[in-house]
Amino acid sequence: MRRHIAVSVTLGSLLLSSSPAFSQTAPADDTAIDLDVTARRLDQARGSIQPSLGATVYDFSRPFIENVPLGENAPLNQVLLRAPSVVQDGFGQIHVRGDHSNLQYRLDGVQLPDGLSRFSQFLMTRSINQISLLTGALPAQYGLRTAGVVDISVKSGSTDPGADLSVTGGSRNYAQPAGSYGGRSGKVDYFVTGQFLHNGLGIENPTASFSPIHDDTDQWMALGKVTGLIDESTRVSFIAGGMNAAFQIPNVPWQIPHYNVFGHSDWNSGILDQRQWEKTYFGIASLQKSYENLDFQLSGFARYSALYYQPDAIGDLLYNGIAPWTNRKSFAFGIQGDGSWKVAKDHTLRGGFLVQRERSTAFTAGNVLPLVANPDDPDAEPEPSEQPIGYNDGFDVTGWTYSVYLQDEWRIVPSVTLNFGLRFDAISGVTSAYQFSPRVNLVWQPAPTFTFRAGYSRYFTPPPLTQISASSLAILANTAVAPETLQNDPVRAERADFFDVGVSVKPLRGLTLGLSAYYKISQNLLDNGQFGAPIIISAFNYANGIVKGVEFNASYDDGPWNLYFNGAFSDNIATNINSAQFNFGPDELTYIANNWITTDHNQGWTFSTGAAYTFNAGRDWATRVSADVLFGSGLRTSIITPNDTSLPNYAVVNASIVQNIPIGLGRGTQLRFDAINLFDNIYQLRDGEGVGVGAPLFGQRQTFLLTLRQKF
């Protein structure tokens, strides 16, 4: 039994997509209908292999996505921000239920390995047929990255036949052409989509100015999916995609250099030219089979990711004391299998495994300012030289991940279901660790309008494969960037006990209310920080951490009106940094070793709310008007002690108008206007202070965009 404890509002069961001008229904003969029935049956079977029983699930319908600014052309993280307990951070990051990242992405049930992307989104919203965010006490099939599971069903030629073209332009040199095409030939279904993006908002502005300096980005993304039916119970599918993005690193003008280089002690920081490139390519091949009471899917996957950082040759030395030309690469591949067997009337047994190999490499050829003694005062502290020296650094490390799980869904009585299982995860690489993780979920549904659930999950979260080695620290000894602390214990796997309870009610037609509470106790709580150049993102552990929070959600979907409201409070505290200590100063380490602090990525209060109304719903001239508000009480910053206060709260209002235009061309024409940050609220996501915080970052200022969309 699959139950959505908390469901995001379905913004219009028909909306614009139901109008004759924008119909997606393709003519079908009897053979096509048989293929449709078979495909739907296999989709349902795949869903039964990996149910979300007992987890907290937030569904984003396609009409809901269309009400997010830019609709399906929006970045995926902007869609996810419309769920409870999802917090906005800089560089496109989001945090779910108090975790720094710890997100898992699945395409058609297959888990994708983590990549190296720092600023870019490697998955397109426009490729998504259905999307859900799973969180809470997850069943045993979900492991490794467990703060949130972004479960994506990819579009196909059956769900989206024909061509769909659009072009977006507007403020900040925004240009985004995009398109997709889907269809079917016999038993083969195919779908391809892609987009290009250029604008002057590649990375968050480090200043409060209306337009950032040196912040252009060029990005392209593509995805293709081919599915073939072997027979009525067997299907093979192939998914491949990629992303290639280039970023300018934005500048803060009128900054005073910290060092002298080649006799220069002044520089216009507004003309610094730092750049970063990111690439990600992935592929998935799956075989799905259904036989009587047995369903399984066997998949192979691969992911290549690369990241390149180019400093300003002189400017980085003047301001940072180091100029690293760095590239990092990672290649991961593996196999995943999941199966479901209905062994008895009230018992469904599920099991699966995952094996993954990842090789990560890095090479840096840079310049750094060495420390030299003062010949006039031999007893004085060494000072940075004006003459840089070259250095080389790198690593090559291989890691393995092994996972296996088994669980039983037991329907004790018609209204009560118990799902219990055991999961085993092991890693080997820079660090080696393993854990057996019990999971149990109880769901009580005495009526279709009421559901109660409670669950416990033991979690095991491995650290990133790449870590800074002792040899890398030794290379930078006696330089301007030598760390104050040389201690560098290896980053460990996080182990946690997670408790979750929730209730969902549907008191009226179209109205859904949900309430959830969670409590997490962690050992070796994983966190990430930005240290050094923008490329350097390092993981570290707190010895102990406690994460707790509550969530409320409400949605109303009836007729032309569609409304939603999400509210959440979280508290995330931790103590004693016990790995990668070189990133921190001695005073900071001493304080955190003896005190509990709030983690830097914690935001106390988070709200999102929106409304949409469709005029002339179901008609050729349908018009949809929507608006939403995102509110945050602010991430943490340091004034006296680490992370001792929050940044000011903020609220961002967005609005959209979508108009169908029945001009008789193809299957429909649509004009869309979006206003992001309608009232031009100036708000700060980061101020450059706090544990692991590297730079000040401001949210996007007022932006107006116009989209023309045509279907054929």
Side-chain angles (χ1 to χ4, degrees):
M1 178 182 70
R2 177 165 176 155
R3 175 63 183 167
H4 300 298
I5 296 299
V7 182
S8 296
V9 60
T10 306
L11 296 184
S13 57
L14 297 177
L15 293 180
L16 299 182
S17 61
S18 66
S19 67
F22 247 71
S23 172
Q24 295 188 4
T25 304
D29 54 22
D30 293 340
T31 302
I33 293 174
D34 292 340
L35 293 175
D36 285 338
V37 171
T38 302
R40 284 195 297 268
R41 184 174 67 248
L42 290 172
D43 286 342
Q44 293 172 356
R46 184 173 60 207
S48 71
I49 295 172
Q50 298 177 332
S52 56
L53 183 70
T56 303
V57 182
Y58 302 100
D59 289 325
F60 300 87
S61 68
R62 290 176 67 172
F64 178 90
I65 292 174
E66 285 298 327
N67 284 305
V68 174
L70 284 177
E72 65 174 19
N73 287 328
L76 181 55
N77 63 339
Q78 291 297 312
V79 177
L80 297 174
L81 279 176
R82 273 71 183 176
S85 288
V86 179
V87 174
Q88 180 181 8
D89 202 343
F91 304 143
Q93 296 180 96
I94 57 173
H95 309 302
V96 178
R97 285 194 167 188
D99 270 276
H100 188 277
S101 51
N102 197 15
L103 286 178
Q104 175 185 149
Y105 292 87
R106 290 188 172 223
L107 296 183
D108 286 354
V110 183
Q111 179 177 335
L112 285 177
D114 293 338
L116 296 175
S117 298
R118 177 57 174 160
F119 305 136
S120 52
Q121 306 284 311
F122 72 97
L123 292 173
M124 292 178 291
T125 303
R126 63 180 302 103
S127 67
I128 296 171
N129 182 44
Q130 295 179 347
I131 179 174
S132 300
L133 175 63
L134 286 67
T135 186
L138 300 174
Q141 68 262 29
Y142 302 106
L144 305 176
R145 304 296 175 205
T146 51
V149 178
V150 183
D151 190 15
I152 295 171
S153 173
V154 180
K155 290 179 179 178
S156 66
S158 298
T159 62
D160 290 79
D164 187 344
L165 306 176
S166 68
V167 59
T168 300
S171 306
R172 310 185 185 282
N173 298 320
Y174 206 101
Q176 185 179 11
S180 63
Y181 183 78
R184 187 167 55 202
S185 177
K187 294 183 178 181
V188 177
D189 183 290
Y190 52 88
F191 176 81
V192 293
T193 186
Q195 66 180 34
F196 173 80
L197 173 65
H198 171 85
N199 61 45
L201 296 168
I203 305 171
E204 283 83 4
N205 192 347
T207 74
S209 63
F210 186 75
S211 298
I213 301 172
H214 191 262
D215 199 15
D216 285 358
T217 182
D218 290 297
Q219 307 174 31
W220 70 259
M221 300 179 181
L223 182 141
K225 175 181 175 180
V226 178
T227 302
L229 293 175
I230 306 302
D231 54 44
E232 292 186 352
S233 62
T234 309
R235 176 169 63 179
V236 293
S237 64
F238 304 91
I239 300 174
M243 172 276 298
N244 193 317
F247 297 90
Q248 295 177 334
I249 308 299
N251 298 330
V252 180
W254 316 119
Q255 298 298 296
I256 299 175
H258 299 136
Y259 305 98
N260 294 336
V261 179
F262 299 129
H264 296 285
S265 59
D266 59 349
W267 195 267
N268 182 0
S269 59
I271 64 170
L272 289 172
D273 187 16
Q274 302 164 314
R275 297 172 184 262
Q276 188 153 307
W277 293 265
E278 300 178 356
K279 302 177 182 179
T280 297
Y281 306 102
F282 60 89
I284 299 170
S286 299
L287 169 66
Q288 183 186 351
K289 180 72 176 181
S290 293
Y291 180 74
E292 296 183 350
N293 293 327
L294 177 65
D295 299 291
F296 72 87
Q297 178 170 281
L298 184 66
S299 303
F301 57 85
R303 186 269 304 144
Y304 171 80
S305 187
L307 185 152
Y308 307 89
Y309 173 69
Q310 172 188 292
D312 186 291
I314 301 299
D316 272 48
L317 289 170
L318 283 165
Y319 290 96
N320 302 322
I322 186 172
W325 282 261
T326 301
N327 71 76
R328 292 186 175 186
K329 299 177 182 179
S330 172
F331 179 68
F333 66 91
I335 186 170
Q336 175 184 329
D338 300 278
S340 173
W341 179 29
K342 191 170 181 60
V343 297
K345 178 182 178 181
D346 299 323
H347 289 271
T348 300
L349 195 66
R350 295 183 175 90
F353 70 93
L354 180 142
V355 178
Q356 176 182 302
R357 180 186 186 273
E358 180 182 4
R359 182 188 179 196
S360 184
T361 62
F363 179 75
T364 298
N367 294 319
V368 65
L369 299 180
L371 297 179
V372 295
N374 186 342
D376 298 327
D377 187 0
D379 296 328
E381 291 289 331
E383 297 181 353
S385 170
E386 295 184 9
Q387 301 294 325
I389 60 173
Y391 76 97
N392 294 320
D393 188 19
F395 61 77
D396 186 339
V397 60
T398 299
W400 288 85
T401 301
Y402 310 92
S403 301
V404 63
Y405 69 90
L406 185 66
Q407 61 185 346
D408 179 34
E409 178 185 327
W410 176 22
R411 189 179 296 272
I412 302 174
V413 296
S415 62
V416 179
T417 301
L418 180 69
N419 190 54
F420 57 94
L422 183 66
R423 182 181 181 93
F424 173 78
D425 296 291
I427 59 170
S428 64
V430 177
T431 58
S432 297
Y434 68 89
Q435 178 176 292
F436 290 93
S437 304
R439 310 281 181 89
V440 59
N441 297 91
L442 181 69
V443 178
W444 176 43
Q445 189 177 21
T449 58
F450 179 87
T451 301
F452 170 83
R453 59 163 177 80
Y456 162 79
S457 294
R458 177 71 171 165
Y459 285 148
F460 174 85
T461 304
L465 182 61
T466 58
Q467 300 181 25
I468 304 300
S469 65
S471 62
S472 295
L473 297 181
I475 290 173
L476 298 177
N478 299 314
T479 70
V481 295
E484 298 180 67
T485 304
L486 296 179
Q487 188 175 359
N488 185 25
D489 292 335
V491 182
R492 303 170 175 86
E494 179 182 339
R495 306 172 190 272
D497 297 284
F498 197 99
F499 303 88
D500 188 48
V501 62
V503 62
S504 176
V505 296
K506 298 180 179 180
L508 301 172
R509 187 183 72 175
L511 178 63
T512 301
L513 305 174
L515 181 66
S516 301
Y518 57 91
Y519 195 91
K520 174 184 173 183
I521 306 171
S522 292
Q523 300 81 44
N524 299 320
L525 175 69
L526 277 169
D527 202 346
N528 294 318
Q530 178 193 345
F531 305 100
I535 191 176
I536 304 300
I537 303 301
S538 298
F540 62 94
N541 296 105
Y542 292 96
N544 297 285
I546 296 176
V547 182
K548 55 188 175 182
V550 293
E551 301 171 349
F552 172 77
N553 69 284
S555 64
Y556 179 74
D557 180 11
D558 189 38
W561 281 104
N562 312 103
L563 313 168
Y564 78 94
F565 174 83
N566 300 314
F569 174 80
S570 69
D571 184 25
N572 188 349
I573 58 175
T575 185
N576 190 15
I577 294 174
N578 61 357
S579 66
Q581 295 92 335
F582 69 91
N583 289 302
F584 308 93
D587 293 342
E588 195 172 36
L589 286 173
T590 300
Y591 183 88
I592 298 173
N594 295 284
N595 297 273
W596 288 81
I597 68 167
T598 303
T599 58
D600 72 281
H601 54 270
N602 182 75
Q603 180 167 267
W605 293 97
T606 304
F607 299 99
S608 59
T609 184
Y613 184 83
T614 303
F615 298 90
N616 302 316
R619 298 182 180 179
D620 290 348
W621 286 93
T623 304
R624 183 178 68 242
V625 179
S626 61
D628 66 16
V629 181
L630 301 178
F631 172 88
S633 61
L635 299 172
R636 307 298 291 188
T637 186
S638 299
I639 296 180
I640 300 175
T641 59
N643 300 343
D644 57 351
T645 190
S646 296
L647 290 169
N649 58 43
Y650 64 89
V652 179
V653 179
N654 309 293
S656 301
I657 301 175
V658 183
Q659 177 65 59
N660 280 358
I661 306 174
I663 61 176
L665 179 62
R667 293 189 296 126
T669 306
Q670 190 181 83
L671 191 63
R672 178 187 187 107
F673 174 76
D674 293 286
I676 300 173
N677 197 352
L678 178 63
F679 300 114
D680 196 26
N681 182 29
I682 301 175
Y683 64 102
Q684 194 168 23
L685 298 171
R686 295 288 193 180
D687 67 353
E689 301 294 332
V691 179
V693 179
L697 300 169
F698 284 80
Q700 181 176 343
R701 298 286 296 272
Q702 184 185 71
T703 305
F704 298 122
L705 301 170
L706 191 66
T707 300
L708 178 63
R709 182 180 181 185
Q710 177 66 54
K711 287 192 173 186
F712 296 96

